[in-house]
Amino acid sequence: MNEQSPAPELWSTIDALSEWLDTNRPVEGREGLLLRILKLSEEVGEVSQAVIGATGQNPRKGVTHTWEDVEAELCDVVITALMALRTLTPEAREVFARHLDRVARRSTVRSAQADVPRQPL
């Protein structure tokens, strides 16, 4: 039996993490914001490292990671991106929802258009 605990509510968790980071960050202001955004690059690099390690692409090291490691690193990228967005704007939830809606509509509209047979000119 595979019982999973319920996932924490996404935005309340992001807000709590943001508060915690804000009280513990050594750099304030614009520089602090930029550093939080740059943290994404570090996390994406860790995804790359995990993929290389899971596939054994470094012959000197061999297989050093699992696909579960890759999953965890991808989750870190998502969390870091949401944290950066939350740092940039207190309306992160609304900004993200609007953007996700635009992307979904744009993608589904294009998919629907691709399904419509074209009329000869």
Side-chain angles (χ1 to χ4, degrees):
M1 183 172 177
N2 184 11
E3 288 188 39
Q4 295 180 339
S5 62
E9 203 281 321
L10 177 67
W11 287 105
S12 61
T13 303
I14 293 298
D15 287 343
L17 287 170
S18 182
E19 270 186 51
W20 175 77
L21 277 178
D22 287 347
T23 60
N24 293 290
R25 69 174 155 177
V27 180
E28 298 290 328
R30 184 176 174 92
E31 187 178 356
L33 168 65
L34 295 175
L35 288 169
R36 196 165 289 176
I37 292 170
L38 285 175
K39 178 79 171 143
L40 272 168
S41 295
E42 177 188 357
E43 295 299 341
V44 169
E46 290 176 9
V47 171
S48 299
Q49 183 180 19
V51 168
I52 289 168
T55 57
Q57 292 302 301
N58 185 335
R60 184 176 54 80
K61 294 181 180 179
V63 175
T64 58
H65 290 74
T66 66
W67 288 105
E68 288 78 19
D69 294 329
V70 176
E71 291 170 359
E73 296 299 344
L74 285 168
C75 289
D76 286 348
V77 169
V78 172
I79 293 166
T80 303
L82 292 175
M83 293 294 298
L85 181 60
R86 176 62 182 79
T87 301
L88 189 61
T89 177
E91 288 85 31
R93 179 189 309 230
E94 294 80 11
V95 169
F96 183 76
R98 282 193 309 268
H99 188 75
L100 182 60
D101 184 57
R102 279 194 303 271
V103 169
R105 280 187 286 116
R106 183 176 61 224
S107 299
T108 56
V109 167
R110 287 194 179 139
S111 295
Q113 288 173 344
D115 293 339
V116 175
R118 292 187 176 226
Q119 299 294 326
L121 296 176

